[in-house]
Amino acid sequence: MPFGEVVCGSPGSGKSTYCYGKHQLFTALNRPISIVNLDPANDNIPYPCAIDISSLIKLEDVMNEFGLGPNGGMLYCMEYLEANYDWLEDRLKELDKDDYILFDLPGQVELSTNHPSVKNIIRRLTKSGFRLAAVHLCDAHYVTDASKYVSVLMLSLRAMLHLELPHINVFSKVDLITQYGDLDFNLDFYTEVQDLSYLENLLNQQSPRYAALNMQICSLIEDYGLVGFETLAVEDKESMLHLTRVIDKATGCVFVPPPTVGQPPDTVDASHLPSTQRPNLYSLMTSAAGQIKGPRSDVRDVQERWIDARDDYDAWEKAQWRKEGLKVQEEAARQKAKIRERTPSAKLAEQTKP
């Protein structure tokens, strides 16, 4: 069975957009990918969907038949999927064995924080051989408000403890963060979840009545020491590539070589096996022990790109796009010129044939 991701997060955090961006990225990289939509209320799916839960059950039908609201109907749909797990298993077996699988979950946060159905489905997937990571998307504008930021920390921690998977928390839409206000601290304070006591004054200003409770919540988060965040701007190629490297390292996909790569001498040929079963000792130490390097691997670079000097970077990128466009036009002109040059000689060769 292949590697994959369980994409979760609150409504509007950008899950479907992320899945679409991931599909575009992997297609450009020639990495096979399939997306599984597990949201029965998602009618406008932007990405090509390999498996759609709506062919099994629809939220609207459940609400009409049982008189449930949207949240209750969604819980019923997930429980129905758990009871009919064989349907999902059979559809997954029809996919290519080397496909990278994305599971797009509904936006109801209780499904990834306390309701057992999704957890049980994930557990059965991992038992069948899937190597999954949970990618929890949170809207980046929450960092502009101290109380909302603390609530996101609690939500992320609860999801980590509940799903029991390699877990990557992500601040999505980081390119839009300046539209919601200024940051009280540098971005790395929020992504690395540093000393939360610095939030005390901000929390006291917003809700002085609950100051003691707020600080106890911050202490709880720090005691676990589990929560940290990556950043994501879906339309930025470097941001998507960096997040992909982080996820590949969490799932172990980075250690698996493609079938075209040769194996060390005197070893058993495993090129015919699925990607999860092919050994790769070459990248084990370098990938496991080394740091992830790239243009968006340092959060300080992310802050400079999207917050401190966004206009300058935008102008520079536009200039690079113009240069790239001119190169493409020049190359196309060269190809046309070559075709024109070859055409008369080709005609002459045809005429001189006996």
Side-chain angles (χ1 to χ4, degrees), residues 40-41 57-64 66-80 106 108 110-111:
I57 189 171
K58 295 183 179 180
L59 177 62
E60 185 178 359
D61 296 339
V62 171
M63 293 171 60
N64 293 334
F66 298 102
L68 297 173
N71 289 336
M74 186 65 69
L75 297 181
Y76 180 91
C77 290
M78 290 299 104
E79 292 171 358
Y80 188 83
Q108 276 70 6
E110 58 266 30
L111 294 174

Side-chain angles (χ1 to χ4, degrees), residues 21-245:
K22 192 90 170 187
H23 184 274
Q24 291 178 311
L25 176 66
F26 274 38
T27 302
L29 296 175
N30 292 323
R31 287 183 63 176
I33 184 172
S34 295
I35 305 178
V36 180
N37 174 45
L38 295 183
D39 186 357
N42 192 354
D43 297 328
N44 300 316
I45 302 175
Y47 48 78
C49 189
I51 302 174
D52 190 355
I53 191 177
S54 63
S55 61
L56 174 69
I57 189 171
K58 295 183 179 180
L59 177 62
E60 185 178 359
D61 296 339
V62 171
M63 293 171 60
N64 293 334
E65 183 174 352
F66 298 102
L68 297 173
N71 289 336
M74 186 65 69
L75 297 181
Y76 180 91
C77 290
M78 290 299 104
E79 292 171 358
Y80 188 83
L81 176 62
E82 180 188 1
N84 294 272
Y85 176 79
D86 293 342
W87 173 87
L88 178 61
E89 187 176 36
D90 293 340
R91 298 301 181 279
L92 291 171
K93 289 179 180 178
E94 296 173 0
L95 303 178
D96 189 271
K97 63 180 181 180
D98 284 329
D99 278 3
Y100 190 89
I101 310 297
L102 293 182
F103 295 92
D104 186 10
L105 291 185
Q108 276 70 6
V109 294
E110 58 266 30
L111 294 174
S112 56
T113 57
N114 49 50
H115 194 267
S117 290
V118 170
K119 180 179 180 179
N120 293 336
I121 293 171
I122 291 173
R123 185 175 296 166
R124 297 182 69 171
L125 288 171
T126 54
K127 284 184 178 180
S128 65
F130 275 87
R131 299 186 182 182
L132 301 173
V135 179
H136 184 227
L137 300 182
C138 306
D139 204 315
H141 82 266
Y142 289 134
V143 302
T144 60
D145 187 292
S147 59
K148 291 180 180 178
Y149 173 65
V150 172
S151 68
V152 165
L153 293 179
M154 286 293 293
L155 178 64
S156 301
L157 178 61
R158 188 68 189 90
M160 295 177 75
L161 297 176
H162 181 70
L163 294 179
E164 298 179 346
L165 285 174
H167 200 101
I168 297 93
N169 297 305
V170 182
F171 280 135
S172 62
K173 308 178 189 177
V174 71
D175 52 324
L176 304 178
I177 194 172
T178 55
Q179 298 182 7
Y180 297 94
D182 298 327
L183 300 181
D184 296 296
F185 306 98
N186 288 331
L187 189 59
D188 59 352
F189 173 86
Y190 300 98
T191 57
E192 298 174 8
V193 191
Q194 299 172 3
D195 189 357
L196 297 181
S197 62
Y198 287 105
L199 295 174
E200 183 174 3
N201 291 334
L202 297 173
L203 293 171
N204 290 343
Q205 293 174 7
Q206 295 179 0
S207 54
R209 180 178 179 182
Y210 302 106
L213 176 62
N214 289 332
M215 293 316 300
Q216 288 297 322
I217 292 175
C218 292
S219 298
L220 174 66
I221 296 169
E222 290 181 333
D223 289 343
Y224 274 98
L226 295 176
V227 185
F229 291 89
E230 298 293 334
T231 58
L232 174 65
V234 173
E235 296 182 355
D236 182 38
K237 178 182 67 176
E238 300 296 345
S239 180
M240 285 291 290
L241 286 172
H242 170 68
L243 184 58
T244 298
R245 296 188 191 103

Side-chain angles (χ1 to χ4, degrees), residues 221-295:
I221 296 169
E222 290 181 333
D223 289 343
Y224 274 98
L226 295 176
V227 185
F229 291 89
E230 298 293 334
T231 58
L232 174 65
V234 173
E235 296 182 355
D236 182 38
K237 178 182 67 176
E238 300 296 345
S239 180
M240 285 291 290
L241 286 172
H242 170 68
L243 184 58
T244 298
R245 296 188 191 103
V246 173
I247 297 170
D248 285 347
K249 190 172 181 179
T251 59
C253 185
V254 70
F255 305 129
V256 178
T260 55
V261 175
Q263 292 185 214
D266 301 325
T267 58
V268 178
D269 181 24
S271 59
H272 63 285
L273 296 175
S275 59
T276 53
Q277 299 178 22
R278 289 196 294 269
N280 182 22
L281 298 180
Y282 288 137
S283 65
L284 183 59
M285 294 306 298
T286 56
S287 299
Q291 294 183 348
I292 298 176
K293 297 180 180 180

